[in-house]
Amino acid sequence: MELVIDANILMSALITTEGKTYDLIFNDRIKLFSIDKLINELEKHKSEILAKSNLSEYDFNLFLALISSRIEFISYSELEKFIPEAEKIS
């Protein structure tokens, strides 16, 4: 199965590691895709995530490293041309 994942999903998984979202992210049968700006978005909200999750900064950074190896990142420039069509559809 292939899924597109966004920052909100990853933030949720970081805050609640006991949930289904966390399990799905680390399921080897699922191939994850996301935009290349995803890690920057998580870094931007790092203090909020740390406060809500009680993770240490080390654990947060470890999670980012692990998740980066699980996701195939697509550059924004590759997707940009599809934005008008996607906005019409949604």
Side-chain angles (χ1 to χ4, degrees):
M1 178 184 297
E2 296 177 340
L3 296 174
V4 175
I5 191 165
D6 69 5
N8 290 322
I9 298 298
L10 286 182
M11 283 188 236
S12 173
L14 275 165
I15 292 168
T16 311
T17 59
E18 300 294 322
K20 295 222 182 265
T21 302
Y22 187 87
D23 294 340
L24 285 172
I25 290 170
F26 290 101
N27 184 326
D28 289 335
R29 295 182 304 185
I30 297 175
K31 176 73 178 155
L32 301 173
F33 296 88
S34 190
I35 192 164
D36 59 355
K37 297 180 179 187
L38 176 72
I39 299 301
N40 294 340
E41 189 69 20
L42 291 175
E43 287 284 354
K44 185 170 118 180
H45 296 283
K46 183 178 186 174
S47 60
E48 177 187 351
I49 294 168
L50 291 177
K52 290 181 178 180
S53 67
N54 294 318
L55 288 172
S56 68
E57 191 164 341
Y58 174 83
D59 289 337
F60 176 84
N61 292 331
L62 181 61
F63 180 85
L64 287 185
L66 288 172
I67 199 63
S68 292
S69 69
R70 293 266 312 124
I71 297 173
E72 183 175 326
F73 292 101
I74 313 290
S75 72
Y76 180 78
S77 61
E78 276 188 67
L79 301 174
E80 193 172 22
K81 62 186 170 198
F82 298 107
I83 291 175
E85 177 87 18
E87 287 174 340
K88 275 196 283 185
I89 294 170
S90 62

